[in-house]
mmCIF file of all heavy atoms in Angstrom:
data_model
loop_
_atom_site.group_PDB
_atom_site.id
_atom_site.type_symbol
_atom_site.label_atom_id
_atom_site.label_comp_id
_atom_site.label_asym_id
_atom_site.label_seq_id
_atom_site.Cartn_x
_atom_site.Cartn_y
_atom_site.Cartn_z
ATOM 1 N N ILE A 241 -22.832 11.113 -10.934
ATOM 2 C CA ILE A 241 -21.872 10.839 -9.873
ATOM 3 C C ILE A 241 -20.535 10.426 -10.488
ATOM 4 O O ILE A 241 -20.469 9.657 -11.438
ATOM 5 C CB ILE A 241 -22.408 9.826 -8.847
ATOM 6 C CG1 ILE A 241 -22.712 8.471 -9.465
ATOM 7 C CG2 ILE A 241 -23.671 10.364 -8.182
ATOM 8 C CD1 ILE A 241 -23.205 7.455 -8.426
ATOM 9 N N LEU A 245 -15.327 5.990 -7.746
ATOM 10 C CA LEU A 245 -16.412 5.044 -7.534
ATOM 11 C C LEU A 245 -16.228 3.834 -8.433
ATOM 12 O O LEU A 245 -15.579 3.899 -9.473
ATOM 13 C CB LEU A 245 -17.755 5.694 -7.891
ATOM 14 C CG LEU A 245 -18.254 6.789 -6.948
ATOM 15 C CD1 LEU A 245 -19.398 7.543 -7.590
ATOM 16 C CD2 LEU A 245 -18.692 6.183 -5.625
ATOM 17 N N ASN A 246 -16.838 2.720 -8.018
ATOM 18 C CA ASN A 246 -16.804 1.540 -8.888
ATOM 19 C C ASN A 246 -17.701 1.716 -10.105
ATOM 20 O O ASN A 246 -17.382 1.246 -11.186
ATOM 21 C CB ASN A 246 -17.228 0.297 -8.093
ATOM 22 C CG ASN A 246 -16.108 -0.189 -7.192
ATOM 23 O OD1 ASN A 246 -14.952 -0.281 -7.623
ATOM 24 N ND2 ASN A 246 -16.425 -0.474 -5.947
ATOM 25 N N ARG A 247 -18.835 2.384 -9.911
ATOM 26 C CA ARG A 247 -19.768 2.561 -11.042
ATOM 27 C C ARG A 247 -20.219 4.008 -11.151
ATOM 28 O O ARG A 247 -21.369 4.341 -10.861
ATOM 29 C CB ARG A 247 -21.003 1.659 -10.848
ATOM 30 C CG ARG A 247 -20.752 0.174 -11.047
ATOM 31 C CD ARG A 247 -22.073 -0.585 -11.170
ATOM 32 N NE ARG A 247 -22.949 -0.365 -10.033
ATOM 33 C CZ ARG A 247 -22.951 -1.120 -8.930
ATOM 34 N NH1 ARG A 247 -22.124 -2.135 -8.813
ATOM 35 N NH2 ARG A 247 -23.791 -0.862 -7.951
ATOM 36 N N PRO A 248 -19.329 4.899 -11.579
ATOM 37 C CA PRO A 248 -19.765 6.290 -11.766
ATOM 38 C C PRO A 248 -20.739 6.365 -12.936
ATOM 39 O O PRO A 248 -20.820 5.425 -13.734
ATOM 40 C CB PRO A 248 -18.455 7.021 -12.097
ATOM 41 C CG PRO A 248 -17.560 5.980 -12.671
ATOM 42 C CD PRO A 248 -17.953 4.670 -12.025
ATOM 43 N N TYR A 251 -27.586 8.548 -12.740
ATOM 44 C CA TYR A 251 -28.609 7.756 -12.070
ATOM 45 C C TYR A 251 -29.828 8.628 -11.816
ATOM 46 O O TYR A 251 -29.713 9.690 -11.215
ATOM 47 C CB TYR A 251 -28.081 7.197 -10.748
ATOM 48 C CG TYR A 251 -26.963 6.200 -10.952
ATOM 49 C CD1 TYR A 251 -25.634 6.611 -11.014
ATOM 50 C CD2 TYR A 251 -27.244 4.840 -11.132
ATOM 51 C CE1 TYR A 251 -24.609 5.707 -11.234
ATOM 52 C CE2 TYR A 251 -26.219 3.929 -11.348
ATOM 53 C CZ TYR A 251 -24.911 4.363 -11.395
ATOM 54 O OH TYR A 251 -23.898 3.466 -11.622
ATOM 55 N N GLU A 261 -26.753 6.010 -0.294
ATOM 56 C CA GLU A 261 -27.325 5.194 -1.377
ATOM 57 C C GLU A 261 -26.641 5.506 -2.706
ATOM 58 O O GLU A 261 -26.339 4.601 -3.498
ATOM 59 C CB GLU A 261 -28.834 5.445 -1.492
ATOM 60 C CG GLU A 261 -29.639 4.782 -0.392
ATOM 61 C CD GLU A 261 -31.086 5.272 -0.338
ATOM 62 O OE1 GLU A 261 -31.341 6.484 -0.567
ATOM 63 O OE2 GLU A 261 -31.956 4.447 -0.055
ATOM 64 N N LEU A 262 -26.417 6.798 -2.969
ATOM 65 C CA LEU A 262 -25.789 7.170 -4.240
ATOM 66 C C LEU A 262 -24.376 6.588 -4.335
ATOM 67 O O LEU A 262 -23.981 6.044 -5.362
ATOM 68 C CB LEU A 262 -25.726 8.692 -4.394
ATOM 69 C CG LEU A 262 -27.001 9.401 -4.855
ATOM 70 C CD1 LEU A 262 -26.769 10.902 -4.961
ATOM 71 C CD2 LEU A 262 -27.489 8.870 -6.203
ATOM 72 N N ILE A 263 -23.625 6.695 -3.253
ATOM 73 C CA ILE A 263 -22.229 6.265 -3.301
ATOM 74 C C ILE A 263 -22.098 4.745 -3.232
ATOM 75 O O ILE A 263 -21.414 4.137 -4.056
ATOM 76 C CB ILE A 263 -21.424 6.917 -2.150
ATOM 77 C CG1 ILE A 263 -21.355 8.431 -2.357
ATOM 78 C CG2 ILE A 263 -20.018 6.313 -2.066
ATOM 79 C CD1 ILE A 263 -20.693 9.189 -1.224
ATOM 80 N N TYR A 264 -22.788 4.139 -2.260
ATOM 81 C CA TYR A 264 -22.527 2.716 -1.997
ATOM 82 C C TYR A 264 -23.463 1.773 -2.727
ATOM 83 O O TYR A 264 -23.135 0.609 -2.918
ATOM 84 C CB TYR A 264 -22.532 2.455 -0.491
ATOM 85 C CG TYR A 264 -21.318 3.070 0.163
ATOM 86 C CD1 TYR A 264 -21.387 4.310 0.789
ATOM 87 C CD2 TYR A 264 -20.073 2.440 0.092
ATOM 88 C CE1 TYR A 264 -20.268 4.899 1.355
ATOM 89 C CE2 TYR A 264 -18.942 3.004 0.653
ATOM 90 C CZ TYR A 264 -19.044 4.243 1.279
ATOM 91 O OH TYR A 264 -17.923 4.821 1.820
ATOM 92 N N GLU A 265 -24.652 2.241 -3.128
ATOM 93 C CA GLU A 265 -25.538 1.350 -3.885
ATOM 94 C C GLU A 265 -25.429 1.633 -5.382
ATOM 95 O O GLU A 265 -24.946 0.811 -6.139
ATOM 96 C CB GLU A 265 -26.970 1.474 -3.375
ATOM 97 C CG GLU A 265 -27.083 0.829 -1.983
ATOM 98 C CD GLU A 265 -28.444 1.026 -1.360
ATOM 99 O OE1 GLU A 265 -29.452 1.079 -2.090
ATOM 100 O OE2 GLU A 265 -28.491 1.144 -0.115
ATOM 101 N N ARG A 266 -25.837 2.843 -5.793
ATOM 102 C CA ARG A 266 -25.779 3.135 -7.235
ATOM 103 C C ARG A 266 -24.336 3.138 -7.719
ATOM 104 O O ARG A 266 -24.013 2.535 -8.736
ATOM 105 C CB ARG A 266 -26.416 4.485 -7.551
ATOM 106 C CG ARG A 266 -27.764 4.752 -6.966
ATOM 107 C CD ARG A 266 -28.806 3.688 -7.271
ATOM 108 N NE ARG A 266 -30.079 4.101 -6.682
ATOM 109 C CZ ARG A 266 -30.503 3.710 -5.483
ATOM 110 N NH1 ARG A 266 -29.795 2.855 -4.772
ATOM 111 N NH2 ARG A 266 -31.660 4.131 -5.012
ATOM 112 N N GLY A 267 -23.473 3.823 -7.003
ATOM 113 C CA GLY A 267 -22.082 3.974 -7.443
ATOM 114 C C GLY A 267 -21.200 2.765 -7.135
ATOM 115 O O GLY A 267 -20.026 2.752 -7.501
ATOM 116 N N GLY A 268 -21.758 1.781 -6.427
ATOM 117 C CA GLY A 268 -20.995 0.561 -6.172
ATOM 118 C C GLY A 268 -19.872 0.719 -5.158
ATOM 119 O O GLY A 268 -18.992 -0.140 -5.080
ATOM 120 N N GLY A 269 -19.869 1.810 -4.413
ATOM 121 C CA GLY A 269 -18.833 1.998 -3.385
ATOM 122 C C GLY A 269 -17.542 2.553 -3.953
ATOM 123 O O GLY A 269 -17.417 2.793 -5.153
ATOM 124 N N ILE A 270 -16.589 2.740 -3.027
ATOM 125 C CA ILE A 270 -15.319 3.368 -3.418
ATOM 126 C C ILE A 270 -14.419 2.342 -4.104
ATOM 127 O O ILE A 270 -14.299 1.208 -3.661
ATOM 128 C CB ILE A 270 -14.596 3.946 -2.176
ATOM 129 C CG1 ILE A 270 -15.559 4.776 -1.323
ATOM 130 C CG2 ILE A 270 -13.373 4.761 -2.585
ATOM 131 C CD1 ILE A 270 -16.061 6.030 -1.932
#
Side-chain angles (χ1 to χ4, degrees):
Chain A
I241 62 178
L245 290 167
N246 283 314
R247 288 194 304 270
Y251 294 89
E261 285 168 323
L262 280 180
I263 294 175
Y264 290 98
E265 289 175 32
R266 311 306 182 265
I270 312 293

